[in-house]
Amino acid sequence: MESSAASTLFLALFLTSLALFFRALSAGFRRRKHLNLPPGPKPWPVIGNLNLIGSLPHRSIHQLSLKYGPLMQLKFGSFPVIVASSVEMAKEILKTQDLKFASRPKTAAGKYTTYNYSNITWSPYGAYWRQARKMCLMELFSARRLDSFEYIRAEETRALLRGLFDASGETILLKDHLSTVSLNVISRMVLGKKYTEESESETPIGYVRRMKTLSKKFDRFLEHVLDEHNERRNGVKNYVAQDMVDVLLQLADDPNLDVKLSRTGVKAFTQDLIAGGTESSAVTVEWALSELLKQPQIIERATEELDSVIGNDCWVEEKDVQNLPYVEAIMKETMRMHPVAPMLVPRMSREDCTINGYDIPAGTRALVNVWTIGRDPEIWDCPNEFRPERFLGKNIDVMGHDFELLPFGAGRRMCPGYSLGLKVIQLTLANLLHGFKWRLPDLVTEKDLDMDEIFGLSTPRKVPLEAVVEPRLPKHVYDI
Ligand code: HEM
């Protein structure tokens, strides 16, 4: 008897919840029907529009935007996604309505690789993320902090130049040399040392490559780093932070922080800084050299500038970079054609809003296709040609002010490491051009050089660049 009453109750509950579910669903449909959504291809059940996205999503999405316009709607599985593909639409998302789009979508992968979104990149909009950005601005990437690490960047650049000098006349894989500098610079600035004395599998390079599958092992590495730092700090009165992990641990000790920074938070931020800072500059410099090897006259013009500003008896230092407008133009042109994040990092709308008369419901993912904007023939003459001259005498910067060139994004979620990234790219590029003559290996012609990319955490060359270098300066300059 009791069990039949229970099953009747259960049935009633089940039917009521089913009815409520269908009511909510049909209300949702009715609401959606009245929404004026941006145009886009018709989605399939379950997969949405994923069938239209190839191995280079920014290119597939670019093609779709030519058909559906500068603001279109796609479905990735069941998730609605809007894509901005013009300066005006980028401005809407990253500037005019920046605050409404200041969150990030949650993904299963993100959950397990970012300590449940406690890093900076994937943490949702809120007090925790706002505090993280304040830490970046005031502590981690302040001009004073970055200046205090200039000696590290100079030492690691010298090691790169020395390594290339030793490999003169041989065919080198440029990316190997560039990745080593980036990783060494970021390891020393963030972790305080290179950690090369430990076994290869215990070093960040091994982990960064396989971070997704090895997040547990990476965690063990970070635990070890934090223990070492705490041992060094323990009991030392007025301890002065020597690297970014020290800064984070001091912040974690601060009882006055609005939101407590836990040990997990310190690990998540540290992982973010290593991941964000390692690949991006190496990939950009590799693209720059690839474009230059196709057009030796650009190298000639750059070396003329370097000879007249730097002379042939010393290396380029960070303070010289502002006097090298042509080298800067090469860097901007590289970032226009080969942005590391061609669609930035996805944002997510926090509330309902409208863009250009279209309704964008809360929870919509937003991509800004800076790759498309960088090749828009309405903005750029001959957009598919690499022409650094286009930037000379123009006031277009890469710092999120000029929406036609957004390699670091713009607005509240803009890359906090941009000034460090720019310093490393410019110093490396200028010295590579200053110190060496560059050519393609025998039997490879400028036309043969493949310029395909692959999509991933960054957007590197599909085939790593091989080149041959010869010293360009007097021999004694290489005794560094
Ligand atoms: C060439 C160098 C770099 C490029 C091109 C680059 C690009 C980007 C882009 C496009 C974003 C997303 C911006 C947006 O959503 O609007 C981003 C975010 C971020 N970058 Fe970079 N980045 C570079 C270097 C660095 C460095 C050196 C670091 C740190 C050491 C770093 C740390 C971060 C972090 C933590 C975020 C997430 C910010 C947030 O969500 O609030 N990046 N970066």
Side-chain angles (χ1 to χ4, degrees):
M1 188 67 187
E2 254 177 38
S3 83
S4 105
S7 56
T8 313
L9 188 65
F10 178 74
L11 190 69
L13 271 175
F14 177 71
L15 290 175
T16 314
S17 50
L18 206 64
L20 285 174
F21 172 73
F22 279 115
R23 231 173 81 185
L25 203 67
S26 76
F29 276 137
R30 255 182 284 128
R31 201 169 80 86
R32 283 206 151 253
K33 270 217 154 133
H34 286 116
L35 289 181
N36 178 26
L37 298 173
K42 206 168 169 335
W44 288 89
V46 185
I47 60 166
N49 301 117
L50 288 176
N51 58 316
L52 301 176
I53 311 295
S55 57
L56 294 173
H58 53 292
R59 287 185 186 249
S60 314
I61 289 174
H62 169 73
Q63 285 306 325
L64 290 168
S65 72
L66 296 179
K67 182 165 176 198
Y68 294 102
L71 187 74
M72 66 175 168
Q73 162 136 328
L74 301 173
K75 277 270 184 88
F76 289 175
S78 60
F79 298 113
V81 180
I82 53 164
V83 184
S85 304
S86 70
V87 165
E88 292 71 30
M89 293 304 113
K91 227 179 237 175
E92 278 290 325
I93 292 174
L94 305 176
K95 187 175 176 186
T96 317
Q97 313 212 38
D98 182 31
L99 188 54
K100 291 182 185 159
F101 285 95
S103 208
R104 300 273 193 219
K106 293 196 166 180
T107 60
K111 183 175 162 78
Y112 299 109
T113 57
T114 65
Y115 295 92
N116 203 14
Y117 313 105
S118 23
N119 69 347
I120 310 166
T121 308
W122 292 102
S123 77
Y125 180 83
Y128 180 81
W129 169 79
R130 280 199 305 272
Q131 180 173 273
R133 293 291 304 209
K134 207 160 122 194
M135 288 173 183
C136 286
L137 193 72
M138 312 292 288
E139 295 287 347
L140 299 174
F141 297 107
S142 68
R144 192 175 48 87
R145 180 87 53 203
L146 290 188
D147 284 351
S148 76
F149 292 137
E150 185 181 344
Y151 79 100
I152 294 179
R153 298 188 291 275
E155 280 175 18
E156 294 303 330
T157 308
R158 281 202 291 274
L160 163 77
L161 299 170
R162 182 74 228 175
L164 289 181
F165 180 73
D166 292 342
S168 299
E170 294 165 21
T171 297
I172 54 157
L173 262 183
L174 181 61
K175 183 71 182 300
D176 287 352
H177 292 262
L178 296 174
S179 297
T180 305
V181 193
S182 307
L183 183 70
N184 287 348
V185 165
I186 209 78
S187 295
R188 289 178 65 189
M189 287 178 55
V190 176
L191 309 173
K193 62 177 180 171
K194 292 191 223 174
Y195 282 91
T196 40
E197 48 275 35
E198 275 133 79
S199 73
E200 155 71 3
S201 66
E202 293 293 317
T203 65
I205 198 162
Y207 290 122
V208 169
R209 272 197 206 127
R210 296 163 291 154
M211 192 180 295
K212 280 200 174 147
T213 45
L214 293 177
S215 48
K216 265 201 190 135
K217 273 196 167 183
F218 198 71
D219 180 66
R220 253 183 279 147
F221 169 71
L222 290 173
E223 281 288 338
H224 166 67
V225 170
L226 263 55
D227 286 345
E228 266 193 354
H229 279 72
N230 276 333
E231 263 170 44
R232 197 169 70 193
R233 293 178 337 124
N234 265 352
V236 180
K237 235 183 158 191
N238 301 327
Y239 181 84
V240 178
Q242 289 168 31
D243 54 48
M244 292 190 179
V245 169
D246 274 344
V247 175
L248 290 169
L249 287 169
Q250 280 176 343
L251 288 165
D253 286 345
D254 184 347
N256 298 322
L257 275 192
D258 292 342
V259 186
K260 177 95 189 105
L261 179 65
S262 65
R263 186 173 169 97
T264 303
V266 174
K267 287 191 289 183
F269 283 23
T270 306
Q271 180 180 293
D272 219 13
L273 298 176
I274 297 172
T278 305
E279 271 292 288
S280 33
S281 24
V283 165
T284 305
V285 176
E286 191 195 26
W287 275 120
L289 259 304
S290 309
E291 291 287 358
L292 298 188
L293 279 162
K294 277 175 122 33
Q295 298 195 61
Q297 80 282 3
I298 303 183
I299 301 191
E300 225 169 274
R301 185 158 174 191
T303 46
E304 271 167 28
E305 179 178 84
L306 286 155
D307 286 343
S308 79
V309 177
I310 308 296
N312 75 349
D313 210 27
C314 58
W315 293 101
V316 184
E317 294 176 31
E318 284 183 6
K319 66 172 171 37
D320 303 318
V321 163
Q322 56 181 338
N323 301 320
L324 299 169
Y326 195 67
V327 174
E328 190 186 24
I330 293 175
M331 184 201 64
K332 288 181 184 170
E333 183 68 339
T334 307
M335 292 183 146
R336 176 184 75 81
M337 290 190 76
H338 306 285
V340 167
M343 295 187 291
L344 304 182
V345 178
R347 300 207 176 194
M348 198 179 71
S349 58
R350 302 165 46 233
E351 51 187 272
D352 294 350
C353 58
T354 57
I355 299 183
N356 222 16
Y358 294 114
D359 296 313
I360 314 294
T364 302
R365 288 149 195 239
L367 300 174
V368 177
N369 200 339
V370 295
W371 190 91
T372 297
I373 296 173
R375 290 172 190 244
D376 185 343
E378 304 266 311
I379 307 173
W380 310 99
D381 284 343
C382 305
N384 294 318
E385 286 176 22
F386 189 86
R387 291 185 183 177
E389 296 72 23
R390 68 173 87 241
F391 286 105
L392 293 179
K394 292 248 171 66
N395 233 350
I396 300 179
D397 72 30
V398 289
M399 268 96 89
H401 308 118
D402 299 301
F403 283 72
E404 54 272 58
L405 189 65
L406 293 173
F408 297 101
R412 286 175 171 76
R413 280 279 183 177
M414 185 187 159
C415 176
Y418 75 91
S419 51
L420 171 60
L422 286 176
K423 279 180 198 295
V424 173
I425 293 170
Q426 279 175 299
L427 187 68
T428 312
L429 182 59
N431 276 310
L432 291 183
L433 295 174
H434 187 49
F436 299 95
K437 293 179 208 150
W438 290 82
R439 69 174 171 85
L440 290 167
D442 296 338
L443 305 178
V444 182
T445 67
E446 287 148 20
K447 275 202 184 118
D448 292 339
L449 187 58
D450 187 317
M451 297 297 269
D452 288 348
E453 74 265 25
I454 47 173
F455 194 78
L457 282 180
S458 57
T459 314
R461 288 177 55 79
K462 186 172 176 186
V463 182
L465 179 68
E466 290 186 328
V468 181
V469 291
E470 299 285 355
R472 210 179 71 84
L473 303 175
K475 202 161 173 288
H476 71 268
V477 181
Y478 300 85
D479 292 334
I480 38 179

